[in-house]
Amino acid sequence: MAGPYEIFVLIKQVPDQGSKAGLNPDGTIDRAKAKRMLNPFDRYALQAALHVKRTYGGRVTAISMGPPPAVEILLEALEHGVDRGFLLSDRRLAASDTLATAYALYKTVTHVGKFDLIFCGLQTTDGDTAQVGPQLAERLSLPQVTYCEDFHLDDGRLHARRIIEGGVQFVDCVAPALITVANSYHPLAYKSFRGAWRVQQLQRNPEELGKYIRTVDLDIIQADPERCGLKGSPTIVAATEKVGELGGNCSMYEGHAPDEMVGELIEKSNLKEFLVA
Amino acid sequence: MSESVNLAPPSDGEVLVIAEQILGELQPVSLELLGAGRYLADKLGGKLSTVILGDNLGDIPKKLIEYGADTVYVADDPELRTYRTLSYRRVVCDLLETFKLPPHIVLLGSTTTGRDLAPRIAANFETGLTADCTELDIGPYEHKSKVDPSKVGLYEGCLYAIRPSFGESLKARILGPWKNPQMATTRPGQMTPLAPDANRVGKIVNIPVKLQKEDLRLVVAETVREVSKGVRLAEADVIVSGGYGLGSKEGFELMHELAKCFENSAVGASRKVVDLGWIPYEHQVGQTGKTVRPKIYIACGISGAIQHRVGMSKSGTIIAINKDPDAPIFKFAHHGIVGDVYQIVPELIRQFKDKLATKGEKTVVHTH
Ligand SMILES: Cc1cc2nc3c(=O)[nH]c(=O)nc-3n(C[C@H](O)[C@H](O)[C@H](O)COP(=O)(O)OP(=O)(O)OC[C@H]3O[C@@H](n4cnc5c(N)ncnc54)[C@H](O)[C@@H]3O)c2cc1C
Ligand SMILES: Nc1ncnc2c1ncn2[C@@H]1O[C@H](COP(=O)(O)O)[C@@H](O)[C@H]1O
């Protein structure tokens, strides 16, 4: 099978930690108020999925699990050239840990249908675990390539380079497979004018849009609610504690001439103690 | 206190560390995990075991005992020479199936291997897993939320898996006492290994390797690891480290020049510049490079990504030079200059030379 490929890409909407909006005094995020964005790591996964489509042909389906506003990132994916999107949204998914999330995504993936490749981001900026991809691969009994930096396909065979401690590894396997894409892969290309325009047209016509983006719930995908949300999660966050600025307070030297800032640094730090005699 | 029943699953308090080797070289994080695992096992009154997979493992099992393991399970087979998700997963899952009671706790390193393997094992056993812990402990936990009545109760001997969350501004304590094993990965450099003791006694148990055809679906064509060629990052008192902000390979000449101002110094680098070929791998600091603890770490044009930080955050004094006042490195540096490396570093070198010159004069005065 030399293409076309059926390509899935898993993307998540996360709070924008760069903006101060929606940050509670204790440092936790008020998800209702926080600005939202596409998980930065998933941009690489999206680029990888689109690369396969453009190079070898095929169809890209973006899949996300999250509250209704997550439809925004599916629209964004369409603007970038993704063919269709599925959003799994259900109140019973609240407080899912990675195991429950991977189960729900597994049910979604099998509901959507057959695939050759599934791309995931390396990790999310809110969950920050890098677990969901491999846990999904386990459910689907797939081989996986994590920390993938680059790859090509050769007649249905995936050849990939992945990061390891102290180097890289070249691996290959036959599709279907799940790949988590490292942030050293190519950055997401700019949206095409055509893609953005198409999505604009679609948004004016909800019925037409419904053909491209479908929202599903646990009943539709036939997932067991007992295995989702808080109930299906073997872990909970029992306590959080604010850690002030990491490593203490940074003395900043800013806005002065270099010689002044450097002089002050040498004065205040312990650099002098280590100078060659 | 309400009267509650202890609902924790039966356990003999065993802690299992999944040790890791690359091309026959035992990874330091495994020894750190044995240190943490020993502490947890002692607190639970259980034993500490470890499993190592590879080909021709030689002295490694013995070394694992010296560092604290009571039992070492050894899977030695040519098929296990290089880490592969499915074959390693098979051997570890098979081993866990043979336990009468599942281990209380299973630990792995947050390395590219540990983060690849741990979620597969956790998903297979439908158990909890906490990634990238910075602290581990044991303690009680009372679950009061009635969302799931079957979980309410007081639990003893829970694994406290403590990790940063929400962009490192919070520490979260994550628990999963309802099911064993309770699993966690820890970041390299976070836990402290025990001093090795050649007289420690322990058991070495060879375990069977029964791979199935589907476990061999992925082929490792090549593993490229650059071996250290005597860049003394580990022993240096002062490390001058350069990142993408240097703009070009030539920037490292400036790094070397600054390093020369200090006694016992070395030059480090971020992964990005190593990948670009500006400097060889043996200079790389971070998760997939070296973990360093110099007395002074000077980061020049380095943003401070988490994978870099885990390799240097334990340095005595961290000095950052970056032209972006919002660069993450300023969140954990001790001194930060907001400015262009090409203005700041030459000025640093100049002022050091001035200082040395005046020092020199003084010495001359004294000898008279
Ligand atoms: C699995 C995995 C493992 C990894 N392992 C490692 C690892 O071991 N070590 C590691 O370092 N990274 C590692 N990384 C990569 C890491 O995520 C970052 O991409 C990398 O550390 C960034 O390097 P940098 O800070 O040099 O570059 P950038 O993030 O691009 O930062 C450059 C900085 O320079 C500043 N700058 C630009 N010009 C100037 C100037 N003229 N003067 C002053 N400042 C300037 C900018 O403001 C910016 O902050 C790993 C990534 C993955 C996925
Ligand atoms: N709710 C979600 N919806 C879709 N994909 C997800 C979701 N959560 C995690 N993923 C995928 O799994 C990757 C790793 O996430 P994490 O384990 O949370 O760090 C992400 O980059 C996504 O590709």
Side-chain angles (χ1 to χ4, degrees):
Chain A
M1 155 198 62
Y5 295 100
E6 197 62 69
I7 310 143
F8 290 2
V9 56
L10 268 60
I11 58 177
K12 186 183 183 190
Q13 191 173 49
V14 296
D16 181 352
Q17 289 174 9
S19 85
K20 296 270 183 295
L23 213 61
N24 292 324
D26 67 351
T28 54
I29 286 171
D30 180 345
R31 280 172 200 262
K33 290 204 199 101
K35 275 174 94 186
R36 300 177 294 259
M37 65 192 280
L38 170 62
N39 174 32
F41 288 92
D42 294 347
R43 299 173 69 83
Y44 300 95
L46 210 47
Q47 176 66 23
L50 291 167
H51 168 76
V52 174
K53 172 181 162 175
R54 284 169 191 149
T55 315
Y56 310 96
R59 172 167 71 163
V60 180
T61 306
I63 296 174
S64 188
M65 161 179 148
V71 84
E72 293 158 4
I73 60 164
L74 292 176
L75 287 169
E76 192 177 341
L78 285 194
E79 290 181 324
H80 279 284
V82 161
D83 298 284
R84 54 176 189 158
F86 281 83
L87 174 65
L88 170 64
S89 202
D90 197 307
R91 283 178 171 276
R92 291 169 289 180
L93 289 163
S96 294
D97 73 358
T98 61
L99 191 79
T101 301
Y103 168 73
L105 287 171
Y106 155 70
K107 294 301 286 184
T108 315
V109 163
T110 43
H111 171 80
V112 172
K114 278 208 154 69
F115 58 86
D116 299 301
L117 298 166
I118 300 182
F119 290 98
C120 289
L122 183 61
Q123 60 196 66
T124 51
T125 50
D126 59 346
D128 186 24
T129 74
Q131 282 168 196
V132 170
Q135 285 176 325
L136 174 63
E138 177 69 16
R139 293 258 178 266
L140 292 162
S141 299
L142 290 179
Q144 70 190 30
V145 178
T146 54
Y147 297 99
C148 179
E149 284 199 303
D150 215 352
F151 66 92
H152 66 271
L153 287 152
D154 180 4
D155 222 3
R157 198 169 182 88
L158 171 75
H159 298 265
R161 187 177 82 221
R162 64 183 295 265
I163 301 175
I164 60 162
E165 269 59 32
V168 292
Q169 203 169 51
F170 296 86
V171 300
D172 59 77
C173 68
V174 175
L178 183 142
I179 297 132
T180 77
V181 185
N183 56 352
S184 36
Y185 185 69
H186 310 277
L188 183 58
Y190 289 109
K191 296 171 192 170
S192 69
F193 175 73
R194 222 180 117 239
W197 183 79
R198 211 183 109 229
V199 171
Q200 232 175 39
Q201 299 306 93
L202 280 177
Q203 276 177 294
R204 294 213 182 99
N205 183 346
E207 204 174 301
E208 192 60 19
L209 182 64
K211 291 187 194 155
Y212 291 90
I213 295 185
R214 211 158 297 161
T215 302
V216 294
D217 62 18
L218 293 181
D219 301 324
I220 297 174
I221 61 168
Q222 298 183 332
D224 176 2
E226 298 290 310
R227 296 178 72 181
C228 299
L230 205 55
K231 280 195 173 170
S233 298
T235 60
I236 50 143
V237 179
T240 54
E241 179 191 321
K242 192 158 184 179
V243 270
E245 291 297 271
L246 292 152
N249 295 319
C250 186
S251 313
M252 295 295 283
Y253 312 84
E254 192 175 356
H256 296 281
D259 59 334
E260 279 173 48
M261 296 194 289
V262 165
E264 208 187 331
L265 171 72
I266 296 177
E267 198 51 49
K268 287 194 183 159
S269 70
N270 55 342
L271 278 168
K272 300 178 284 285
E273 295 165 30
F274 297 92
L275 291 178
V276 285
Chain B
M1 273 282 260
S2 64
E3 241 181 85
S4 20
V5 238
N6 177 359
L7 298 161
S11 156
D12 53 13
E14 179 159 354
V15 177
L16 177 75
V17 166
I18 302 181
E20 187 185 324
Q21 54 82 22
I22 300 181
L23 301 182
E25 187 188 312
L26 185 61
Q27 295 301 291
V29 73
S30 304
L31 304 178
E32 295 161 20
L33 284 169
L34 286 176
R38 186 74 261 167
Y39 167 78
L40 299 175
D42 289 348
K43 219 164 164 176
L44 286 165
K47 65 172 194 163
L48 174 65
S49 19
T50 181
V51 55
I52 179 84
L53 293 79
D55 176 29
N56 272 320
L57 288 165
D59 282 346
I60 291 181
K62 211 175 129 265
K63 191 163 173 194
L64 292 168
I65 291 174
E66 287 173 16
Y67 278 89
D70 300 316
T71 306
V72 183
Y73 298 103
V74 181
D76 202 319
D77 190 290
E79 283 290 1
L80 301 176
R81 194 177 131 70
T82 324
Y83 171 74
R84 284 191 288 168
T85 314
L86 297 178
S87 47
Y88 272 51
R89 173 207 165 280
R90 173 74 63 191
V91 175
V92 174
C93 288
D94 282 353
L95 170 68
L96 288 171
E97 299 280 5
T98 67
F99 281 53
K100 273 199 215 76
L101 290 173
H104 196 82
I105 293 171
V106 170
L107 303 175
L108 295 92
S110 314
T111 56
T112 55
T113 297
R115 284 174 127 218
D116 186 271
L117 180 60
R120 302 266 335 198
I121 295 168
N124 182 55
F125 290 103
E126 309 242 345
T127 197
L129 168 63
T130 307
D132 299 352
C133 296
T134 49
E135 292 164 52
L136 298 173
D137 213 334
I138 300 288
Y141 170 63
E142 186 172 16
H143 190 70
K144 292 178 182 152
S145 158
K146 300 211 168 59
V147 177
D148 183 352
S150 71
K151 284 184 177 170
V152 175
L154 177 69
Y155 298 83
E156 302 284 351
C158 310
L159 174 67
Y160 291 177
I162 297 157
R163 66 173 312 233
S165 74
F166 292 116
E168 318 282 324
S169 58
L170 284 178
K171 251 185 354 188
R173 181 194 289 172
I174 297 175
L175 281 101
W178 301 281
K179 184 146 192 199
N180 290 335
Q182 299 165 45
M183 293 183 63
T185 65
T186 73
R187 290 180 172 166
Q190 291 289 343
M191 306 289 152
T192 316
L194 303 174
D197 175 358
N199 296 321
R200 273 189 58 89
V201 280
K203 234 178 12 186
I204 294 178
V205 181
N206 287 302
I207 59 170
V209 177
K210 287 190 202 124
L211 299 180
Q212 299 174 14
K213 198 167 154 234
E214 61 182 69
D215 300 334
L216 305 170
R217 278 178 283 175
L218 184 128
V219 181
V220 175
E222 198 185 355
T223 301
V224 185
R225 257 192 128 222
E226 293 173 68
V227 274
S228 225
K229 295 177 207 106
V231 177
R232 300 168 63 86
L233 280 177
E235 301 94 60
D237 283 330
V238 179
I239 294 178
V240 178
S241 218
Y244 189 61
L246 291 179
S248 72
K249 192 180 178 144
E250 285 65 43
F252 275 96
E253 286 163 22
L254 192 60
M255 297 295 101
H256 278 110
E257 206 185 319
L258 178 57
K260 272 192 215 129
C261 298
F262 302 100
E263 240 24 296
N264 190 23
S265 63
V267 170
S270 72
R271 176 174 184 119
K272 198 157 171 178
V273 296
V274 170
D275 284 349
L276 285 166
W278 294 358
I279 189 163
Y281 168 74
E282 63 256 30
H283 293 269
Q284 186 182 315
V285 172
Q287 187 202 324
T288 46
K290 289 208 183 61
T291 302
V292 297
R293 287 180 196 216
K295 299 208 170 87
I296 298 186
Y297 189 90
I298 309 178
C300 306
I302 291 178
S303 61
I306 176 69
Q307 295 93 348
H308 188 79
R309 204 186 88 212
V310 294
M312 45 66 79
S313 62
K314 299 245 168 105
S315 306
T317 305
I318 298 169
I319 298 172
I321 302 165
N322 195 304
K323 67 177 183 191
D324 173 8
D326 293 324
I329 192 139
F330 291 131
K331 293 223 164 72
F332 58 96
H334 303 99
H335 299 273
I337 295 193
V338 180
D340 189 321
V341 269
Y342 288 100
Q343 289 181 350
I344 303 299
V345 175
E347 180 61 27
L348 254 176
I349 296 170
R350 198 186 61 77
Q351 293 199 19
F352 285 152
K353 288 202 169 131
D354 278 1
K355 278 228 155 31
L356 293 176
T358 42
K359 228 188 200 170
E361 276 164 31
K362 274 186 200 143
T363 327
V364 175
V365 175
H366 278 293
T367 48
H368 273 279

